[in-house]
């Protein structure tokens, strides 16, 4: 009996220990002191993943506060965020991509009115607020610019050819000139030693946002401007879709790649085609610099052109500038964690290490007034500054008003079908205009 | 003996039972509950009744993937079982290197679906590149690409089950059939196939449910492109849940509908196949 009891006690003990170990492991991930708070940042930008991790490590060294940085793979941010937010150790800091993104996550957004990142905004009106304007919920931390990145050296080679459509990049101020130059390059691609005028317009999910979102912004911008639209309209007319078609045709017909292969082309394909000097033009933004630099195209040869679609008055059009990177602090985290996160962000925008990393390593233009001595050296950012100095009007980022991801996907897939020749342009028009009305209705019915 | 079992049984089943509760029962119950709610994260939901279920069939992509998946499951079930049986039938005969062949056929099954998907994507894109096409060019390309991948992965696994079935047939039965003058094909159709019916039941069950449940290979190979036309049911549910803001509940409702469909088909299949089983 005694022996039995001893065995039973032993067995029960083993089970209890192993279970408590397993359960404890689920409960708390970090062993550090919880009262000091900790930071868990779910980062949106894969191209800056390592820079953020280095910055986090530097902060931990300096202050002893735990900072975890997790980066979602390209195109999977919403997925990752949704599952991470359901965990007990949810991100204390995450990102939304603008007003439409904030609408999804507003229940999780803490008030940022008294934070350093709000106080230091050069223009406080760019922060996103709650519906009644009583709370500041999301703050942009980087202003970005996109357009058509070009290779100056290759372009100059083309300009030197007899019969070139232009003799200097300054002459490219409209769609017609851009088209003539691109077609000229395509016709002379063997002389110039390139595979095509434009990089592949890939429709893999890592790349298709360049066309269904960023390119689609241009016709949207002109339509909003004509109609005086400021918020998110319930319906759109598609006034400038012919221009959208023209520029898209230019991309796919004067490129390194057959249109029937576009469905499998990734952003890496496009980046490497440009970085290795196989194409002259590449539609992307300032963030692409990290992937281009250090390859065969030197920094001095990098420039950026506005995306022209043949709209009236486009001679004065500048690059497309805005933000879809807004910081949001999770109001469901503990007070200590929220405070730790605010302190971390203050450090990021005021300390030397933080400012150096944001401006120089990551190459960002930030909207904060603390960056006086830290101006970006990113040549693509400098290209934007030149356009602004020349008095050109920057195109705004209106794609943050697009009704849903589904709308973008609809447009993207219709564009791909059109490019492959398995669909026609009417499908794009319908995905654009009718899709907008449908998705707007659905998104608001489900809000 | 029985008393010992009652007294000590929990010690051995307990840990597994707890793991089963945490990993399966709780998520299942929570999932069914969530299909009646509106939520952004699974820990924060409000009850909406049957609203989500109304959204399931209103979504054209769901109906499309339902038919696409059904076609996929039928094609793969037939091809995999016929091929696996044929390979097993060849490999039960003793010849030099039979074991080596068995291992080689089984190996694809050891590679994870995502890896397989990417490898096959490269292979097929390389091949289709000759005609300036790629696997995501149209839903038809994607369909046959997935069929090829699935067959390559599963034939070896089903082959092992068929070999076990074939080896359990008593040699005397085949011998007496030969003595009675039965031809090879008569022996195959009238003796061997009825006797391996239990293996057929198992294999068809596995291939049908695998066909309906396929997810990672689909994700890696085509990711539903173009226009979500090559999206199988599991991927469609995943995309509804994660990629569409405000549709998490509908995704969850689709998952419940999906469960019911697969369960009903599996039960019918099992009943039909079992009724054909015979004893030697």
């Amino acid at each position: 009996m005694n022996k039995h009891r001893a065995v039973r006690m032993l067995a029960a003990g083993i089970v209890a220990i192993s279970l408590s170990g397993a359960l404890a492991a689920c409960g708390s991930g970090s062993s550090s002191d919880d009262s000091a708070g900790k930071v868990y940042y779910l980062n949106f930008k894969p191209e800056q993943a390592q820079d953020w991790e280095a910055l986090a490590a530097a902060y931990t060294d300096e202050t002893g506060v735990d900072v975890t940085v997790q980066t979602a793979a390209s195109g999977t941010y919403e997925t990752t965020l949704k599952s991470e937010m359901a965990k007990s150790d949810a991100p204390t800091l995450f990102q939304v991509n603008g007003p439409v993104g904030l609408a999804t996550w507003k229940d999780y957004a803490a008030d940022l009115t008294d934070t350093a990142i709000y106080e230091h905004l050069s223009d406080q009106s760019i922060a996103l607020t709650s519906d009644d304007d009583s709370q500041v919920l999301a703050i942009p931390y980087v202003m970005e610019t996109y357009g058509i990145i070009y290779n100056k050296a290759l372009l100059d080679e083309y300009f030197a050819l007899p019969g070139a459509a232009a003799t200097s990049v300054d002459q490219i101020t409209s769609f017609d000139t851009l088209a003539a130059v691109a077609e000229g390059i395509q016709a002379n691609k063997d002389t110039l030693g390139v595979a095509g005028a434009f990089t592949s317009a890939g429709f893999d999910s890592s790349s298709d946002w360049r066309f269904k979102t960023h390119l689609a912004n241009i016709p949207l911008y002109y339509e909003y401007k004509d109609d005086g639209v400021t918020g998110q309209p319930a319906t759109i007319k598609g006034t400038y879709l012919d221009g959208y078609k023209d520029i898209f045709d230019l991309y796919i017909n004067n490129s390194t790649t057959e249109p029937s292969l576009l469905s499998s082309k990734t952003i890496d394909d496009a980046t490497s085609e440009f970085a290795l000097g196989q194409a002259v033009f590449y539609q992307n933004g300032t963030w692409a610099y990290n992937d281009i630099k250090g390859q065969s195209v030197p920094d001095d040869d990098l420039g950026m052109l506005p995306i022209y679609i043949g709209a009236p008055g486009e001679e004065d059009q500048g690059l497309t500038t805005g933000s879809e990177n807004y910081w949001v602090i999770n109001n469901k985290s503990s007070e200590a964690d929220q405070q730790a996160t605010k302190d971390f962000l203050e450090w990021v925008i005021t300390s030397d290490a933080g400012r150096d990393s944001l401006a120089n390593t990551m190459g960002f233009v930030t909207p904060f007034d603390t960056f006086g001595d830290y101006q970006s050296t990113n040549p693509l950012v400098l290209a934007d500054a030149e356009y602004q100095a020349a008095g050109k009007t920057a195109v705004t980022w209106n794609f943050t008003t697009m009704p849903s991801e589904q709308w973008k996907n609809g447009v993207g897939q219709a564009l791909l079908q059109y490019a492959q020749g398995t669909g026609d342009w009417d499908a794009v028009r319908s995905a654009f205009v009718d899709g907008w009305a449908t998705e707007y209705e659905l998104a608001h019915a489900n809000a | 003996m029985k008393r010992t079992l009652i007294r000590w049984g929990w010690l051995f089943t307990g840990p597994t039972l707890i793991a089963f509760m945490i990993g399966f029962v709780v998520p299942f119950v929570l999932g069914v509950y969530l299909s009646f709610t509106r939520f952004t994260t699974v820990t924060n939901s409000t009850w909406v009744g049957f609203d989500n279920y109304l959204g399931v069939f209103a979504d054209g992509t769901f109906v499309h993937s339902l038919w696409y998946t059904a076609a996929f499951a039928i094609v793969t079930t037939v091809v995999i079982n016929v091929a696996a049986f044929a390979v097993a039938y060849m490999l039960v005969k003793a010849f030099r290197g039979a074991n080596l062949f068995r291992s080689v056929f089984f190996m694809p099954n050891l590679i994870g679906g995502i890896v397989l998907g990417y490898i096959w994507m490269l292979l097929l894109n390389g091949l289709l590149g000759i005609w300036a096409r790629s696997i995501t060019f149209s839903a038809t390309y994607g369909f046959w690409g997935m069929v090829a991948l699935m067959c390559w992965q599963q034939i070896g696994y089903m082959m092992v089950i068929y070999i076990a079935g074939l080896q359990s047939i008593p040699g005397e039965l085949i011998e007496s059939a030969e003595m009675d003058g039965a031809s090879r094909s008569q022996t195959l159709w009238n003796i061997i196939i009825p006797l391996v019916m239990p293996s057929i039941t198992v294999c068809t069950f596995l291939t049908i449910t695998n066909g309906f449940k396929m997810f990672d290979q689909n994700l890696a190979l085509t990711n539903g492109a173009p226009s979500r036309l090559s999206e199988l049911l599991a991927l469609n549910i995943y995309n509804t849940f994660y990629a569409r803001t405000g549709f998490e509940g509908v995704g969850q409702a689709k998952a419940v509908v999906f469960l019911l469909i697969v369960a009903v088909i599996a039960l019918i299949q099992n009943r039909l196949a079992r009724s054909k089983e015979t004893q030697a």
Side-chain angles (χ1 to χ4, degrees), chain A residues 112-160:
Chain A
L112 302 174
T113 314
D114 299 324
T115 55
I117 47 171
Y118 181 61
E119 281 157 15
H120 285 298
L121 272 183
S122 312
D123 172 11
Q124 293 190 330
S125 70
I126 61 175
L128 299 178
T129 55
S130 56
D131 296 337
D132 57 357
D133 284 340
S134 63
Q135 293 188 324
V136 177
L137 299 181
I139 289 173
Y141 67 91
V142 47
M143 301 304 282
E144 293 177 308
T145 298
Y146 68 84
I148 300 173
I149 301 172
Y150 62 86
N151 183 326
K152 280 181 199 163
L154 286 175
L155 212 47
D156 285 341
E157 270 182 54
Y158 167 73
F159 292 144

Side-chain angles (χ1 to χ4, degrees), chain B residues 53-277:
Chain B
Y53 286 88
L54 297 177
V56 170
F57 288 96
D59 182 356
T61 63
F62 183 75
V63 180
H64 169 79
S65 14
L66 188 60
W67 293 120
Y68 193 74
T69 312
F72 177 77
I74 292 169
V75 171
T76 51
T77 302
V78 171
V79 176
I80 290 174
N81 282 289
V82 170
F85 184 83
V87 175
Y89 190 61
M90 282 191 300
L91 293 183
V92 280
K93 308 222 160 65
F95 65 91
R96 239 176 198 290
N99 278 328
L100 178 74
F101 279 105
R102 287 184 195 179
S103 319
V104 168
F105 276 115
F106 186 72
M107 264 184 206
N109 199 61
L110 303 175
I111 310 171
I114 291 279
V115 179
L116 270 188
Y118 283 122
I119 293 172
W120 275 85
M121 184 179 75
L122 295 174
L123 283 173
L124 292 170
N125 278 344
L127 182 69
L128 291 169
I130 299 171
W131 300 278
R133 290 280 193 274
S134 68
I135 185 78
T136 44
F137 184 79
S138 77
T140 319
Y141 284 59
F143 184 87
W144 293 107
M146 286 191 285
V147 167
L149 193 170
M150 188 76 163
C151 291
W152 189 76
Q153 187 179 19
Q154 301 222 325
I155 285 173
Y157 189 83
M158 301 306 155
M159 170 202 79
V160 171
I161 300 176
Y162 281 122
I163 286 180
L166 288 168
Q167 282 175 337
S168 68
I169 300 173
E172 307 90 76
L173 274 176
I174 312 281
E175 252 173 61
S176 47
E178 262 172 36
M179 285 173 140
D180 288 345
S183 71
R184 271 174 162 248
S185 68
Q186 277 174 324
T187 320
L188 177 68
W189 287 104
N190 299 321
I191 311 227
I192 297 178
I193 289 186
L195 286 177
V196 293
M197 210 54 212
S199 300
I200 295 178
T201 310
V202 173
C203 287
T204 45
F205 172 78
L206 286 176
T207 39
I208 287 180
T209 49
N210 283 346
F212 271 98
K213 291 189 307 189
M214 183 161 115
F215 175 76
D216 34 4
Q217 295 91 332
N218 188 194
L219 181 77
L221 190 68
T222 68
N223 198 10
S227 300
R228 306 183 69 181
L229 287 174
S230 68
E231 205 175 48
L232 294 174
L233 270 180
L235 185 62
N236 180 273
I237 292 167
Y238 172 84
N239 281 338
T240 313
F241 189 97
Y242 280 114
R244 290 207 76 174
T245 303
F247 283 74
E248 292 84 357
V250 177
Q252 202 57 50
K254 280 182 181 181
V256 174
V257 172
F258 173 56
L259 169 87
L260 294 175
I261 293 173
V262 177
V264 166
I265 290 173
L267 286 175
I268 294 174
Q269 178 272 338
N270 225 336
R271 174 145 312 167
L272 286 179
R274 283 232 183 279
S275 66
K276 295 222 169 17
E277 286 180 16

